[in-house]
Amino acid sequence: MLVWERPEPPNRPVPAPLDRERIVRAAIQLADADGLEAVSLRKVATALGVGPMRLYSYIDSKEELLDLMVDAAYAEIRPAGDSWREVLRSLAETTRQAAHEHEWLADLLGGRPQLGPHALARGEAVVAALDGVDVDDVMPVVTAVDAYVIGAVRREIAERRAERATGMDEKRWQASLGPYLERTFATGRFPTLATVVRDAAHLDADETFRIGLGFLLDGIEARVVRGPVPVSRGSTATSVK
């Protein structure tokens, strides 16, 4: 039986009461403070003031503990809205917010689908908002939004970690590389890139995320919700329908 299906051991009259919720909460506190490397069953047991063997009555392995931690984070991802577009935007924004609140979550998102109760509730809310979209298009749409968010938050978290490791924020890092870029662009080898770097608006992470998400949602609306893209004469392209 999976950990979400397994009943918890019966309560025992011991000095330190224990259940899976307490275990997961302690593990998340450790990960929030010092990253996933700070999480082990032994360290969680120490934080709870119990022996490590007691945890094995509730959780079989560290992998199960990580699954429970991720599912607890999914409880904070509550997409809402009155239209499919609002729900998908809310999904993206609340996922990003949860990853910024719990940096370790960015390392665990993706891969095989999360199937804990909170993850399934999140999935149900999102899929229900896509009622009316062709059933074959639903999962590609959700996967596209998830992929965009995961890529964005991993880049943002990596930037945070680099700043902590080097002591240089983005502006200081850019300033340190400025002379090199000026010398390189002066060679004329990269004229288009030089124009973008010099003339385009320099957006912060929030603006970049918002605009990129808008591009994605516009594409979903044009391709899936409004209908298939017309195929020009002589083209071998196919629609998503």
Side-chain angles (χ1 to χ4, degrees):
M1 297 176 68
L2 297 179
V3 65
W4 299 291
E5 300 176 296
R6 249 182 2 251
E8 297 204 27
N11 291 328
R12 293 184 295 168
V14 294
L18 201 59
D19 55 38
R20 287 197 186 107
E21 183 179 355
R22 288 185 175 91
I23 294 170
V24 172
R25 189 163 56 243
I28 288 175
Q29 289 174 348
L30 290 172
D32 286 348
D34 298 306
L36 286 177
E37 60 273 14
V39 177
S40 68
L41 293 181
R42 181 174 297 279
K43 291 177 180 177
V44 172
T46 299
L48 291 168
V50 301
M53 294 309 298
R54 277 197 64 192
L55 268 60
Y56 285 102
S57 299
Y58 300 85
I59 298 173
D60 285 347
S61 64
K62 181 178 178 178
E63 286 68 32
E64 280 194 350
L65 178 57
L66 294 178
D67 284 342
L68 289 168
M69 291 168 62
V70 171
D71 197 59
Y74 267 91
E76 302 176 19
I77 302 172
R78 301 180 181 277
D82 296 325
S83 68
W84 69 267
R85 188 179 181 110
E86 289 179 0
V87 171
L88 290 181
R89 180 173 291 280
S90 176
L91 167 66
E93 291 172 344
T94 54
T95 302
R96 179 176 181 245
Q97 182 178 352
H100 279 283
E101 186 72 21
H102 310 289
E103 283 190 11
W104 51 269
L105 182 60
D107 299 320
L108 298 177
L109 288 173
R112 290 179 176 174
Q114 297 291 331
L115 300 177
H118 294 304
L120 292 176
R122 169 261 202 189
E124 175 67 20
V126 173
V127 171
L130 293 171
D131 183 39
V133 174
D134 189 286
V135 68
D136 290 332
D137 293 333
V138 170
M139 292 314 298
V141 166
V142 177
T143 300
V145 175
D146 280 342
Y148 173 77
V149 177
I150 292 170
V153 298
R154 284 183 175 168
R155 177 180 56 79
E156 292 167 2
I157 297 304
E159 172 64 26
R160 275 193 190 181
R161 290 168 175 169
E163 182 175 333
R164 289 198 298 265
T166 64
M168 297 176 65
D169 61 18
E170 184 177 14
K171 289 184 177 179
R172 291 178 61 190
W173 176 75
Q174 290 173 341
S176 71
L177 291 178
Y180 160 74
L181 286 178
E182 288 295 337
R183 291 192 301 271
T184 302
F185 291 157
T187 66
R189 294 170 56 200
F190 311 105
T192 308
L193 183 59
T195 298
V196 172
V197 170
R198 288 171 177 155
D199 299 340
H202 291 266
L203 306 176
D204 63 20
D206 292 339
E207 293 170 318
T208 299
F209 183 85
R210 176 179 55 80
I211 292 173
L213 179 60
F215 291 156
L216 176 60
L217 296 179
D218 288 346
I220 291 171
E221 183 172 10
R223 187 71 180 264
V224 176
V225 178
R226 290 180 181 172
V229 177
V231 179
S232 61
R233 183 174 298 176
S235 171
T236 58
T238 57
S239 74
V240 298
K241 294 293 185 183

